[in-house]
Amino acid sequence: MKKIAVILSGCGNRDGSELQESLSLLLAIDRRGWQYQCFAPDGFYDVVNHASGVETGETRDILVESARIARGNIKPLSDYRPEDFDALALPGGMGAARNLSTYAYDGAGMSVMESVEDAILATIKVSKPVCAMCIAPMVLAKVLGKKGVCITLGSDSNEASAAARQLGAKTQSCGPTEVCVDDRLRVFTTPAYMAASRISEIFDGAENMVARLSEAL
């Protein structure tokens, strides 16, 4: 049975992991008969009111909030060992851009949380696949850009794609249910809400990404 490690970044599309993307990813993994284990890094993040879009001034713990999505079955990212898993996956949501990285604040001058970068590089080092949805491929652009990783962020002409190319990544335009595959680095990405307008498209994109991942395992 295949086992997939999933990195979450909080709970909620404006300041954490996007719930619809996260659940679609977990469901797509489960429907394959595979297992998943959720992880989250240690640290705190600034909370956004999801009704108004305004920061509240409150901070919350990334791992504790991510546990809401994982129904409590979550481990600190420091416990992740790539040899124990078949692939690593990152759903989207602004948590990828605000918590796992600083893309939301710094654009192409972004940095990535050390534990997240270490997890990605360790996975690539042992030639295991990495998957990412929505804005999360920006994290891969920063970590793997110098390796010339190919990703999708939806339209090839949007601001995020331009920033990814500044970091050395190659970008590919994809529709909401399509998958960009980097065969050399074994990286699989899908646009999700960077392109989608319906929750059904989110699930189809996650399902298609996991299907392509299955072909590589």
Side-chain angles (χ1 to χ4, degrees):
M1 180 182 293
K2 304 301 182 184
K3 193 170 184 180
I4 313 301
V6 178
I7 300 179
L8 301 178
S9 61
C11 183
N13 70 303
R14 294 181 182 271
D15 56 14
S17 291
E18 214 290 332
L19 285 163
Q20 295 173 2
E21 294 175 3
S22 299
L23 297 178
S24 291
L25 173 62
L26 299 181
L27 180 58
I29 292 169
D30 180 73
R31 282 164 62 94
R32 287 266 156 191
W34 300 349
Q35 295 181 338
Y36 58 80
Q37 175 62 57
C38 294
F39 292 86
D42 293 318
F44 293 84
Y45 69 93
D46 296 321
V47 176
V48 174
N49 181 322
H50 280 58
S52 67
V54 176
E55 290 190 9
T56 66
E58 178 188 0
T59 59
R60 294 185 184 176
D61 185 284
I62 298 173
L63 189 147
V64 170
E65 292 302 300
S66 297
R68 294 174 179 269
I69 298 174
R71 294 174 57 86
N73 182 17
I74 196 161
K75 295 181 179 181
L77 186 54
S78 57
D79 287 356
Y80 170 69
R81 301 290 181 270
E83 57 268 24
D84 297 332
F85 295 90
D86 295 284
L88 180 67
L90 292 80
M94 285 302 291
R98 294 167 57 98
N99 306 335
L100 304 186
S101 75
T102 64
Y103 172 67
Y105 309 103
D106 301 325
M110 66 187 283
S111 60
V112 172
M113 187 179 283
E114 184 177 2
S115 61
V116 176
E117 181 171 6
D118 288 347
I120 294 167
L121 289 175
T123 304
I124 294 294
K125 185 176 181 180
V126 295
S127 299
K128 292 189 176 180
V130 178
C131 302
M133 303 172 69
C134 195
I135 194 64
M138 275 303 309
V139 176
L140 304 186
K142 174 62 178 178
V143 176
L144 302 175
K146 291 182 179 179
K147 297 180 183 291
V149 66
C150 184
I151 58 170
T152 187
L153 289 151
S155 170
D156 211 23
S157 60
N158 62 26
E159 184 177 330
S161 291
R165 289 192 295 272
Q166 288 183 54
L167 292 168
K170 300 173 184 176
T171 60
Q172 177 179 313
S173 288
C174 284
T177 66
E178 295 179 324
V179 182
C180 172
V181 178
D182 184 323
D183 289 313
R184 181 174 59 88
L185 292 176
R186 304 184 80 196
V187 169
F188 302 80
T189 53
T190 191
Y193 274 122
M194 292 294 284
S197 59
R198 302 169 61 195
I199 186 173
S200 58
E201 294 175 324
I202 301 304
F203 174 73
D204 287 345
E207 183 79 7
N208 292 339
M209 183 177 71
V210 171
R212 296 299 300 273
L213 171 64
S214 177
E215 296 170 3
L217 293 179

